[in-house]
Amino acid sequence: MYRPNPAQLAELLCGTRLLDSTILGTGVSYRNAVRKRPWLLLRHLWRLPIPFVSFEKWQRSMARLYWLAAEYRITCVVFEKL
């Protein structure tokens, strides 16, 4: 998934000027969902040893484990049209 930073967004939007930008941490991660429903980890443990059944689904499942430690982030930018 493509997640540009504010400088990359400014390059994509020609005819605009970047006025302000920030990346906000939400304080929320996949860990919050697992706290509410701990059985979600069973899905990942079950998929871990069998990537050959469906490699795309396996990759998607393993990628979610990254978000156990990392919080979700939101990129906020304000542009002015030239």
Side-chain angles (χ1 to χ4, degrees):
M1 180 179 287
Y2 178 61
R3 296 179 189 223
N5 63 32
Q8 291 170 328
L9 277 175
E11 291 175 7
L12 291 174
L13 299 171
C14 54
T16 62
R17 182 171 53 124
L18 180 65
L19 296 177
D20 195 15
S21 66
T22 188
I23 298 177
L24 300 174
T26 62
V28 177
S29 69
Y30 186 52
R31 180 179 45 234
N32 296 67
V34 170
R35 280 189 190 128
K36 291 178 185 173
R37 301 180 303 171
W39 59 87
L40 289 174
L41 285 179
L42 293 176
R43 175 179 51 196
H44 300 294
L45 292 175
W46 179 80
R47 300 256 335 145
L48 183 65
I50 52 172
F52 49 83
V53 173
S54 173
F55 188 67
E56 291 82 21
K57 289 181 183 178
W58 182 83
Q59 279 183 314
R60 203 168 34 240
S61 179
M62 295 304 112
R64 290 208 105 184
L65 293 176
Y66 167 78
W67 294 104
L68 284 171
E71 70 175 350
Y72 300 136
R73 295 178 306 267
I74 301 169
T75 301
C76 301
V77 293
V78 177
F79 291 103
E80 178 181 39
K81 189 174 180 180
L82 299 176

